[in-house]
Amino acid sequence: MKRSVLAALCAAAALAATADPVPVASIRWIDRDFDFGLMKEQAGPKTGSSRFVNLGPDTVSVFSVKPSCGCTSAEFSDAPVAPGDTAVVSYTYDPHMRPGKFDKSVKVRLSNGDRYSIRITGNVLGTPESLATLFPVDAGEMRLTDAVINAGEVTFGKSPVFFFNAYSMPLDSISPSVRAASPGLVVKPSKPKAGPGDIVTYSLGFDSRRHGVYGHVDIPVEFKADPASDASPVTVGFRAFVLPDTEYLLLKQKGANPVCAPAPDIIDLGDMQGFQGDSRPIKAVVTITNAGKGPLGILRLYSNSDAIRFGKPFSSSPEPGGKAAPVTVKPGKSLKVNVEIDPARLPSGPFRIPLELITDDPAHPHLQIPVAGLK
């Protein structure tokens, strides 16, 4: 047993004697990363530098210096750096039209093949001109990138996330408040407080099931930079158009799909230019026929115009978070819906106002019946 241990120790010693030596760093950075701190855009570009000392036995030189983006330029000398000598790499950050914090890198390559990365950071206080361009919405002590978030079409049951940014202008930290008017829209900041020149990103998670409304969705979001101030909040609009999940409908219906066939194709009011203020509403009837093999669920029938009203069961719009049960039409059956049009509320000139019909017909979940005419 003792001989085995002794043999193993001897073998290890022999291996260590023949192994390659551990490489020693050829340089040592005296100061590598650089923080520009709080800098004013109007003051123009600023320059920083990093230094290293040659620790090796051989002369080295800086072969190349490459900043990570066009906002930064670099200067260096490719003169040989003798053992024990020091070299300097300089870099300049241009803050023009770049308000907010930045975190960039400068890649350094030496003549011996060694590569290093210098990290440069800072925070730019923007000029009124750059802020008005990049953050056009005035929100008091902060400026926002968007007044309206257009989410486009959203499939019911999905929960997409959208974003907008806010730039903080005060020289003190503030804690903005944000509140959405629907439980189906959750707004979260990237940080609870905003310091001078900080950019806060707000995520808007839209839960279409929790909001519970098909078709057009318009949710106001109240934003207040300083909740303690007397200033009124700024409203950011969130807009989307919620459609049924047609893939889910096809699986659920198992081939017994409904087919929505509304009539008429258009409600033509003709030439109304002789209208003299008659307060009596114009009445029309929309017939929704199910020409398919399974029951048709009418999820919503509405108009965005206040000139148009519907009779039961669509006389009121569903409230957010309280989606009404769909009205069902059996195969081969029809549902007649009374429509009242207030002439006094119609726009002047030619008009075309769509009636929006959302159903669980997987082939045509969204149909429009226009109300058209000339006033």
Side-chain angles (χ1 to χ4, degrees):
M1 185 67 177
K2 290 182 179 180
R3 290 183 180 179
S4 299
V5 173
L6 182 61
L9 292 174
C10 291
L15 182 61
T18 58
D20 292 335
V22 177
V24 178
S26 59
I27 69 166
R28 176 175 61 84
W29 289 94
I30 301 172
D31 37 32
R32 186 192 307 194
D33 297 339
F34 189 88
D35 184 6
F36 285 94
L38 194 62
M39 54 190 293
K40 294 182 178 180
E41 180 186 350
Q42 63 184 13
K46 272 192 172 183
T47 300
S49 61
S50 300
R51 299 176 298 159
F52 69 84
V53 60
N54 182 4
L55 298 179
D58 301 318
T59 298
V60 297
S61 61
V62 178
F63 180 76
S64 66
V65 177
K66 294 182 179 181
S68 59
C69 78
C71 59
T72 309
S73 59
E75 294 182 2
F76 66 97
S77 171
D78 59 359
V81 182
D85 283 353
T86 301
V88 178
V89 175
S90 299
Y91 30 81
T92 301
Y93 183 79
D94 184 0
H96 179 62
M97 296 297 289
R98 298 182 177 97
K101 289 185 176 181
F102 62 89
D103 191 336
K104 307 294 180 181
S105 64
V106 177
K107 304 294 184 182
V108 179
R109 182 182 176 189
L110 303 183
S111 57
N112 63 0
D114 289 353
R115 300 171 186 266
Y116 301 91
S117 179
I118 300 171
R119 182 186 182 190
I120 61 171
T121 55
N123 195 354
V124 177
L125 288 176
T127 62
E129 293 77 16
S130 68
L131 294 180
T133 300
L134 300 172
F135 300 87
V137 182
D138 185 357
E141 294 183 300
M142 300 188 78
R143 297 192 67 92
L144 312 180
T145 52
D146 301 274
V148 177
I149 309 297
N150 285 305
E153 290 188 355
V154 175
T155 301
F156 187 82
K158 308 299 182 182
S159 299
V161 180
F162 307 88
F163 303 91
F164 72 89
N165 292 329
Y167 178 88
S168 180
M169 295 186 293
L171 295 179
D172 297 321
S173 294
I174 56 177
S175 301
S177 66
V178 185
R179 184 178 67 86
S182 168
L185 188 64
V186 179
V187 185
K188 294 182 179 179
S190 58
K191 58 178 70 175
K193 290 187 177 182
D198 279 357
I199 296 176
V200 182
T201 298
Y202 289 88
S203 64
L204 295 88
F206 179 53
D207 187 338
S208 54
R209 287 187 181 276
R210 193 173 182 189
H211 184 70
V213 176
Y214 289 95
H216 288 93
V217 169
D218 200 341
I219 304 173
V221 179
E222 288 189 351
F223 180 92
K224 196 168 184 179
D226 184 3
S229 72
D230 296 331
S232 300
V234 173
T235 299
V236 177
F238 177 83
R239 295 174 183 169
F241 195 91
V242 180
L243 289 171
D245 187 340
T246 54
E247 292 184 1
Y248 168 76
L249 291 176
L250 288 170
L251 289 173
K252 178 183 177 182
Q253 293 162 359
K254 298 179 180 179
N257 304 328
V259 175
C260 182
D265 295 332
I266 183 172
I267 299 174
D268 190 354
L269 301 183
D271 189 345
M272 302 177 63
Q273 289 182 304
F275 171 73
Q276 297 297 326
D278 189 345
S279 61
R280 291 175 299 178
I282 300 171
K283 296 185 177 181
V285 175
V286 171
T287 301
I288 304 173
T289 301
N290 181 4
K293 298 179 180 179
L296 173 70
I298 304 175
L299 305 172
R300 191 179 177 193
L301 174 62
Y302 69 101
S303 172
N304 286 327
S305 172
D306 59 0
I308 298 175
R309 294 181 179 274
F310 297 92
K312 293 182 179 180
F314 305 103
S315 54
S316 61
S317 297
E319 294 296 325
K323 179 175 67 71
V327 176
T328 302
V329 181
K330 295 180 180 180
K333 301 296 183 179
S334 299
L335 174 69
K336 294 184 181 296
V337 182
N338 294 320
V339 181
E340 290 189 352
I341 304 161
D342 185 350
R345 296 179 180 271
L346 292 173
S348 299
F351 58 84
R352 188 179 180 89
I353 304 171
L355 308 184
E356 310 284 355
L357 177 59
I358 312 292
T359 71
D360 61 2
D361 174 358
H364 305 95
H366 175 218
L367 295 171
Q368 291 182 332
I369 303 169
V371 176
L374 174 64
K375 178 181 172 185

